[in-house]
Amino acid sequence: MKELYVADVAAFKEQPRKVVAEGELEIGVFKLGEDYFAWENDCPHMGGPVCQGKLYKRVEEKLDADQKSQGFAWVQEDDHVVCPWHGFEFNLRTGRHPGDFPTSLKGYKTKVKDGKVYVLVG
Ligand code: FES
């Protein structure tokens, strides 16, 4: 297992996303709270650069007892990335598509050592 250097911990304060490459492999690393999550930059739909998509909170529709919409709200604890090619959306903690659970990103373990963030590949 190889440790691929991503960036210093301090660099994630300015920008919580980094995309690194190792040969043909591209990996997006995201800092969420105190944790780091790494996903292959290869959308399971058609191979788009999913990790470079827009970042959003999950949107939830609030319903009343009669199932009538009361509007939409952001779910603050659910960070999502939206693939820039066709809009498939993935939870950045689980890698899963919110409506199609078998569809998910390929994940990698991360490691923080001496103030530096690494992804474990190979
Ligand atoms: S390639 Fe990502 S949504 Fe189609």
Side-chain angles (χ1 to χ4, degrees), residues 14-93:
E14 296 158 16
Q15 172 54 263
R17 165 179 39 198
K18 309 287 179 206
V19 178
V20 293
E22 170 79 353
E24 296 288 308
L25 177 64
E26 288 186 4
I27 298 173
V29 181
F30 301 84
K31 184 174 191 287
L32 304 176
E34 296 305 312
D35 301 317
Y36 295 88
F37 297 85
W39 306 106
E40 191 167 332
N41 193 21
D42 184 9
C43 181
H45 178 227
M46 292 180 70
V50 59
C51 294
Q52 291 160 284
K54 289 198 179 240
L55 303 177
Y56 292 98
K57 299 294 183 184
R58 181 169 64 88
V59 176
E60 183 176 79
E61 186 172 18
K62 303 284 185 192
L63 303 175
D64 67 13
D66 296 325
Q67 300 297 303
K68 288 187 178 173
S69 178
Q70 299 300 301
F72 296 91
W74 301 111
V75 178
Q76 293 302 317
E77 60 273 18
D78 283 350
D79 293 281
H80 284 192
V81 65
V82 179
C83 181
W85 280 13
H86 312 102
F88 273 46
E89 188 170 328
F90 300 90
N91 183 301
L92 285 172
R93 288 185 184 273

